[in-house]
Amino acid sequence: MENSKLKYISGILIFLCSLYSCVREEVDHTKMVVEGWIDAEKHPVVMLHTSYSLDATSDPYDTQLVEVLAEHMILFGKVVIFDGEDSITLTGRVDTNYLPPYIYTTTKIRGEVGKTYTIRATYKDFSAHSTTHIPYRATFDSIRVTEHNTKMNIVGYANNLKIGIPYIIMARTTDQRQYKICPMGAFRANNSNMAITINNPLNFTDENIMQQTLFPKKDSISIAIKFAEIGEEEYQFWNSFIAQNMTQGVFFMETHSNIISNIQNGNGYWCGMGSTEYIVKLNKTNLYIFDNQSIRN
């Protein structure tokens, strides 16, 4: 269902690109929203759109997701990243693995631990910028998957955490590319050795599962987990996003403007991540043990 919706959105985007001169102008009260990240050893990904504000006469439930995306996505913006030496312009393209299904990226930059990256996004009268850095990579020494009444509990074990430093945990199914932040997935380490429960942020077909922190037991689904050290401003964003996301709607809504953002002249986030990714299966109890020697060196 979700894939078919994204393909439909993709078709609309291609149509909009071909009729660019006919796209209606943005609403006056919108702001640029930047959603972007750069992981250690990965290429940057940035999504641009304008925030969706509700007035006294509007009903958000009468507005289809496709219509909101089509009206508020920025298809022909300019995104430039400065890595301390060079300025690289990102290329925009349709990618239905993400929502919004249009990203700006480049193969000319790959994130490096310890480096600082400044982003500037512009479109018509909009101009926003931000700076982030990539910390040392966070690692799990092991991940345990245990079964509880047809549900699966996932716990990661780390013994090299920095006390007081912020971390985040995200997850996705392996057939998707866009991670989602886990419930309670932003935290500060209160000990160098921690057992961290990885809560379910994903939409599975069973509506009851969507409201629970455990994962479903499934033979056909594997879960990719991203564990990352992040900076202080990035932590403030994710921590406030999780708190508000418990009761609020999608990130297009103007209510998200009170989320703590590190974007200057806009909303959203630009996040460097010292991250490591892991894949676990949901079909049985298992213990995954990792050799992180090469990462730590």
Side-chain angles (χ1 to χ4, degrees), residues 73-221:
M73 273 193 302
I74 296 176
L75 303 181
F76 298 99
K78 182 177 182 180
V79 180
V80 178
I81 294 177
F82 178 63
D83 65 359
E85 298 176 358
D86 300 307
S87 293
I88 305 298
T89 300
L90 278 58
T91 301
R93 60 180 172 85
V94 173
D95 192 331
T96 57
N97 291 292
Y98 296 90
L99 191 65
Y102 190 88
I103 67 171
Y104 298 82
T105 188
T106 180
T107 59
K108 296 179 180 179
I109 297 177
R110 192 182 293 271
E112 296 181 31
V113 169
K115 287 193 78 169
T116 297
Y117 298 89
T118 298
I119 187 174
R120 180 171 294 276
T122 57
Y123 177 71
K124 293 187 177 181
D125 294 333
F126 294 108
S127 179
H129 64 277
S130 183
T131 298
T132 192
H133 78 283
I134 299 181
Y136 288 105
R137 296 173 67 178
T139 58
F140 285 126
D141 292 277
S142 62
I143 295 178
R144 183 180 295 275
V145 181
T146 54
E147 183 174 353
H148 294 273
N149 299 323
T150 72
K151 305 292 194 307
M152 308 304 285
N153 185 49
I154 303 177
V155 178
Y157 298 88
N159 65 11
N160 63 333
L161 301 182
K162 304 168 190 173
I163 297 176
I165 295 299
Y167 297 86
I168 60 170
I169 297 178
M170 305 176 121
R172 62 176 173 84
T173 54
T174 53
D175 62 338
Q176 300 292 322
R177 294 179 62 185
Q178 187 170 7
Y179 279 96
K180 294 183 178 181
I181 189 75
C182 294
M184 310 303 292
F187 65 95
R188 296 183 188 277
N190 56 23
N191 199 304
S192 60
N193 302 308
M194 292 183 65
I196 305 162
T197 299
I198 300 167
N199 296 311
N200 178 14
L202 307 170
N203 286 340
F204 291 97
T205 55
D206 186 341
E207 293 184 359
N208 293 325
I209 293 173
M210 292 171 61
Q211 305 302 321
Q212 300 180 21
T213 59
L214 297 179
F215 293 80
K217 180 180 180 181
K218 288 183 177 288
D219 293 330
S220 59
I221 293 179

Side-chain angles (χ1 to χ4, degrees), residues 23-28 30 50 71 73-74 123-124 126:
V23 175
R24 55 182 170 176
E25 296 182 356
E26 295 82 4
V27 182
D28 291 340
T30 57
T50 55
E71 181 176 358
M73 273 193 302
I74 296 176
Y123 177 71
K124 293 187 177 181
F126 294 108

Side-chain angles (χ1 to χ4, degrees), residues 245-265:
N245 200 42
M246 296 293 183
T247 55
Q248 298 289 355
V250 297
F251 193 62
F252 289 96
M253 298 302 178
E254 186 66 22
T255 53
H256 283 78
S257 63
N258 63 354
I259 290 178
I260 300 173
S261 172
N262 68 340
I263 303 296
Q264 304 299 315
N265 299 323

Side-chain angles (χ1 to χ4, degrees), residues 4 17 35 46 57 61 68 70 108 115 120 150 173 186-187 232 236 250 287 293 295:
S4 62
C17 290
E35 299 183 68
V46 178
T57 61
Y61 300 101
V68 174
K108 296 179 180 179
K115 287 193 78 169
R120 180 171 294 276
T150 72
T173 54
F187 65 95
E232 179 62 31
Q236 293 296 332
V250 297
L287 174 64
Q293 192 64 32
I295 295 176

